Every structure is written in structure tokens, then in C-alpha cells.
Amino acid sequence: MIKLIVNSDDFGYSRGINFGIIDSHKYGILNSATLMTNMPGAEHAFELAKENPKLQVGIHLVLTCGRPLLDNVSSLVDDNGNFKKLNDLYKHKGIILEDVEREWTAQIEKFLASGITPTHFDSHHHVHTLPELLPVVQRLSKKYSLPVRREKEQAVEGVPAFSDVFLHDFYGETATLDYFEKLAIRFPDDSVVEVMTHPGYLDNSILDGSSYNTDRLKETEILTTVKLPENIVLI
């Protein structure tokens, strides 16, 4: 049997996204989500997570969306106090690792204060995979005893992986109804496979704030209607 984790990123982005994630869990195959503690929908997401304890919830660390929790991480923000754009982060424009670690620590601590036990952490726009941020990821993984989404199959010293295989190809045009049927023949038995998804319903926050919006409705429909092949089991 393939052991499947269907994880939704962006839990906490907005109420519309949160409701789409919960519906994909209650009425579909979604069994995991990672939560953005800095976004306007975070408290709503915490409430929904407590009401749905079978949903596994991890932490979706953020450096490129919304505003930081801390007000003294100047290297991470623009002139308006918002996180810098993704391109600026990739270019490492003035980013101080100490600021990253303090902000991500604050995000983790806010999650822990909710009373929910996190399963793991990953990050918005996959920024935790930047080589320059590896020391921060290693320290936080060790400090909080949390596995991490590994986006390449090779081992990373000091960082336990959340799954054997991570897939980010359920997205846009490649999010199809037969995706999981094809998945059944791609990997050997006993593999733990995480599939990243982005279900959600539309509200002004997601329409105004993200270029990936209407496709979330399609993902929600697929995740709530698809039937898994016999050799795939949710864990």
C-alpha cells in the first residue's frame, strides 16, 4: 500500500480558504494542512482545526505574504511593513538570518499557544528550501522536534523528513480527476507520499492577494469527489 498524505497549504490565509480546506477534509480525501499564523484567517483556522481533530495540522512558515508577527525584523519587510516580495527574497536583498529565525520562532510559538500539536512544518513559496536558510531550518527542527517537508529526496543533515516523497504537481492544469489513479503506479508499496494541494473557496482576500485563486475551486471539487485506488491508503 502507498501511504498518502494529502496536505493543503495556506490554512489561515482567509475564511474562504479555510472553509474550502475543511470541506475537503470532512467530505473528501484531505487529511493534513499547514497553517499560516501571520495571516488574517489564522484564528479562524485554529478554531476549525479544534473542531476537526482528525485533520493533521502543521505550520506553514511565511516570509513572502502578509505582515510579520514581529515589529523588529526590518530586513524582512518593505517600506510599508509588509513582507518583501518573493523575488527580493531569492535575491537575498538585505535579509538577515537572525531576523528570519526570530520571526519564524514567533510564528511557531503562536501556533503552539493555540493548544494544537503541530505535525511538521513547511513554508509558503517553499522558501525554507533556500540553501541560505538551511541553518535556521535545522535549528528550528531540532528545537521543536518537528519534521520538515523535504522537497528533494536527498537527506538533509539534522532535519527529519515529513514524508519519503513530496509532490507539488497537483496544481493548475495538472490537478486532474485521474491524478491519484496515476499516482498509484508511480511509487512502490510502503512509500509515504505527500501531495501538496491548495483547495479553497473564493473571497476578496484570495482574489485580491493571490494569482492562484479560481483553480482552488477546481481542487476543492476534485478532493471532495475523487475515490482513491485500492493500493493507496490515507495516513
Side-chain angles (χ1 to χ4, degrees), residues 10-88:
D10 300 350
F11 200 23
Y13 190 105
S14 69
R15 292 177 68 88
I17 297 303
N18 294 345
F19 282 129
I21 289 170
I22 291 300
D23 277 1
S24 296
H25 170 64
K26 291 175 66 175
Y27 309 115
I29 64 170
L30 189 84
N31 59 350
S32 177
T34 41
L35 195 153
M36 310 168 79
T37 63
N38 72 311
M39 295 299 287
E43 295 302 327
H44 181 237
F46 286 135
E47 293 175 6
L48 292 175
K50 292 175 182 177
E51 293 170 3
N52 296 272
K54 291 184 178 179
L55 178 66
Q56 304 171 75
V57 184
I59 306 167
H60 201 49
L61 296 174
V62 184
L63 282 182
T64 57
C65 186
R67 302 173 70 89
L69 295 180
L70 302 180
D71 58 8
N72 58 345
V73 286
S74 58
S75 76
L76 307 182
V77 299
D78 60 20
D79 293 339
N80 297 315
N82 298 312
F83 275 125
K84 291 181 177 180
K85 299 296 184 182
L86 180 61
N87 285 340
D88 290 335

Side-chain angles (χ1 to χ4, degrees), residues 131-146:
E132 291 77 7
L133 300 186
L134 178 58
V136 176
V137 172
Q138 289 172 319
R139 286 193 291 269
L140 293 178
S141 175
K142 181 178 181 180
K143 178 179 179 179
Y144 293 101
S145 299
L146 289 174

Side-chain angles (χ1 to χ4, degrees), residues 134-176:
L134 178 58
V136 176
V137 172
Q138 289 172 319
R139 286 193 291 269
L140 293 178
S141 175
K142 181 178 181 180
K143 178 179 179 179
Y144 293 101
S145 299
L146 289 174
V148 179
R149 173 185 285 169
R150 183 188 301 160
E151 301 199 27
K152 295 181 180 179
E153 293 186 17
Q154 65 267 29
V156 178
E157 183 179 357
V159 181
F162 183 54
S163 64
D164 299 324
V165 179
F166 167 70
L167 298 175
H168 53 82
D169 55 354
F170 185 85
Y171 192 84
E173 293 182 356
T174 56
T176 59

Side-chain angles (χ1 to χ4, degrees), residues 89-107:
L89 188 68
Y90 280 145
K91 294 174 184 176
H92 314 298
K93 290 186 175 180
I95 300 296
I96 298 174
L97 287 186
E98 181 182 352
D99 285 354
V100 175
E101 187 162 355
R102 288 192 297 110
E103 172 61 25
W104 277 0
T105 297
Q107 293 178 23

